[in-house]
Amino acid sequence: MTTKPGTDGDVLPHYVREAPFDPYADDAASGSSALDEASQLKLMWWRFRRHKLALFSGIALLIMYFMIVIVEFLAPYKVHTRNMDHIFAPPQSVHLFHDGRFVGPFVYGQKMTLDMTTLRRVYSDDTGDVQKLRFFCRGEPYRFWGLVDADLHLVCPAENGHFFLLGTDRLGRDIFSRILYGARISLTIGLLGVATSFVLGIVIGGLAGYWGGWFDLVVQRIIEMLQSIPTIPLWLALAAIMPVDWSPLLVYLGITFILGLLDWTGLARAVRSKLLALREEDYVLAAQLMGAKSPRIIGRHLVPGFMSHLIASATLTIPSMILGETTLSFLGLGLRPPITSWGVLLTEARSVSVLALYPWLLLPVIPVIFVILAFNFLGDGLRDAADPYK
């Protein structure tokens, strides 16, 4: 400490700090340095993490997409395995205790009788037949992704027993296993469809908004013409032109392309309106003066300016694609057996009489509702996180 004279002759204390100069010392002391120095991605993650519903929805969707990778391991049965002695069997309840004694996860065997009045199969639990479930067990052999032979399953029925968690259909096929296999088609068709839709929407809408003139006029008339056609009849017409002798893979790709082809118009108009405003900015003029071409200006300078809107559009488009595939398959004009999707599974529930007798055939609609809600909640959180400064 040193001293120096004051204005009125008094000596005032003067402190000299001997530590090296740190330009961020004040920020660290105030606790704001982490926020000031955080990257854009980190700010987006912090903002997204505060949206608990969106965070849980994102985790649930990641789990579901991981499940479709190992669906052969998760499913107790193969997709087309028939159990002819258990046609239209109701869901089996999993129990832990039998006669007051802890046994572990098990199901009771089922007895079947035929109601001669309604000709309906009536199943009842045989409480004397305890069938303990096996985990990480050897069960039905399968080809993992059609490449590797394996027979390891997460859960298997007891030896010489059966396990139908969600019941069976008219051919005795396990509905739970078929829902797992159907998720592989229904969830991926949304991703492929939205990729097609985004490529068309961003490219066509971006060029229309950036160039304007006659190109914009032609694009807008085409969009208006497509949007004036009722959606379901247009789906039916485009799905009906696919040859009946196409392989299931070609039908799958065809449905994906149709869904993407019909959903790009709304995104194209949104991109066009944004670019009409952003193309007058100074940084766009600077890029033009430096010799940047139109694709680079649109892709590197204009599109990132409304990325939050694109993220929200993607998370809303994917569930619409899933609903579109489900609708087409339910009407019998989309995917067809042997392909298994949630829409194909719901074709079993088109009859009111079947639903009255076997309501568990409607269970494939539950994952459809869950996925659509999860994508909507996730889109809401991502839209807010994409603008962390607001």
Side-chain angles (χ1 to χ4, degrees):
M1 180 183 70
T2 60
T3 58
K4 65 177 182 178
T7 56
D8 55 355
D10 297 333
V11 177
L12 300 177
H14 179 63
Y15 294 91
V16 177
R17 185 175 181 179
E18 299 180 357
F21 174 69
D22 184 3
Y24 301 107
D26 294 338
D27 292 338
S30 61
S32 62
S33 60
L35 183 62
D36 295 339
E37 299 176 22
S39 64
Q40 180 77 6
L41 290 177
K42 186 173 290 187
L43 290 175
M44 291 175 61
W45 166 243
W46 288 345
R47 181 71 177 270
F48 177 74
R49 195 170 56 183
R50 291 168 54 187
H51 199 302
K52 300 301 182 183
L53 192 56
L55 182 62
F56 294 149
S57 298
I59 295 174
L61 288 173
L62 286 177
I63 293 174
M64 294 190 68
Y65 275 98
F66 175 72
M67 288 172 59
I68 67 176
V69 178
I70 57 172
V71 66
E72 293 89 350
F73 167 72
L74 298 176
Y77 299 93
K78 293 190 294 186
V79 64
H80 298 301
T81 298
R82 299 184 181 184
N83 300 275
M84 302 308 296
D85 295 332
H86 293 79
I87 294 176
F88 285 133
Q92 291 180 286
S93 301
V94 178
H95 305 273
L96 296 177
F97 295 89
H98 175 66
D99 291 339
R101 179 172 55 88
F102 179 78
V103 179
F106 72 94
V107 295
Y108 290 117
Q110 291 181 326
K111 294 180 179 179
M112 191 274 292
T113 58
L114 185 63
D115 188 342
M116 300 306 297
T117 303
T118 61
L119 297 181
R120 176 187 176 187
R121 296 169 181 261
V122 179
Y123 291 87
S124 59
D125 288 340
D126 182 4
T127 56
D129 183 12
V130 176
Q131 300 180 2
K132 189 173 181 179
L133 301 179
R134 298 174 294 145
F135 294 91
F136 296 99
C137 47
R138 301 294 177 180
E140 284 193 343
Y142 56 83
R143 290 184 63 85
F144 187 75
W145 282 87
L147 301 174
V148 181
D149 292 324
D151 60 358
L152 182 65
H153 294 265
L154 175 64
V155 58
C156 302
E159 296 289 348
N160 300 320
H162 296 89
F163 175 48
F164 307 121
L165 183 63
L166 301 181
T168 62
D169 61 6
R170 59 187 176 87
L171 297 177
R173 296 171 297 191
D174 180 40
I175 293 179
F176 176 68
S177 299
R178 290 174 62 78
I179 288 177
L180 292 178
Y181 277 95
R184 177 173 289 175
I185 300 295
S186 295
L187 293 180
T188 55
I189 203 169
L191 296 180
L192 295 177
V194 78
T196 304
S197 173
F198 262 54
V199 170
L200 293 175
I202 292 177
V203 171
I204 298 176
L207 293 177
Y210 183 72
W211 285 348
W214 67 268
F215 185 82
D216 182 30
L217 184 64
V218 171
V219 169
Q220 295 310 305
R221 300 295 80 79
I222 294 176
I223 291 177
E224 291 169 359
M225 181 179 64
L226 290 176
Q227 290 183 340
S228 65
I229 303 175
T231 305
I232 293 182
L234 184 59
W235 279 353
L236 300 181
L238 292 177
I241 64 176
M242 291 189 298
V244 295
D245 58 346
W246 274 12
S247 67
L249 179 60
L250 289 178
V251 174
Y252 171 72
L253 295 177
I255 293 295
T256 301
F257 181 73
I258 288 174
L259 294 176
L261 194 64
L262 298 177
D263 204 69
W264 66 270
T265 55
L267 180 62
R269 279 202 158 174
V271 172
R272 169 186 174 271
S273 62
K274 293 289 185 179
L275 292 191
L276 285 175
L278 294 177
R279 70 178 184 178
E280 306 299 333
E281 297 291 337
D282 293 338
Y283 63 86
V284 177
L285 178 59
Q288 292 173 344
L289 294 176
M290 295 179 65
K293 302 297 183 182
S294 298
R296 179 178 178 84
I297 295 176
I298 295 174
R300 295 293 300 274
H301 301 287
L302 295 179
V303 171
F306 55 97
M307 187 59 66
S308 61
H309 178 80
L310 295 180
I311 293 174
S313 298
T315 53
L316 294 177
T317 301
I318 292 176
S320 69
M321 297 279 181
I322 296 174
L323 279 179
E325 179 274 325
T326 304
T327 303
L328 286 177
S329 300
F330 180 76
L331 294 175
L333 294 173
L335 300 175
R336 300 184 295 269
I339 293 180
T340 302
S341 69
W342 291 338
V344 173
L345 295 179
L346 287 174
T347 59
E348 301 281 344
R350 283 187 293 187
S351 173
V352 177
S353 59
V354 171
L355 282 180
L357 296 175
Y358 317 111
W360 56 87
L361 295 180
L362 200 59
L363 289 175
V365 79
I366 295 179
V368 176
I369 297 174
F370 176 79
V371 168
I372 291 173
L373 289 176
F375 268 114
N376 280 275
F377 294 144
L378 177 64
D380 186 43
L382 290 177
R383 182 190 58 208
D384 295 339
D387 295 321
Y389 295 105
K390 290 184 179 181

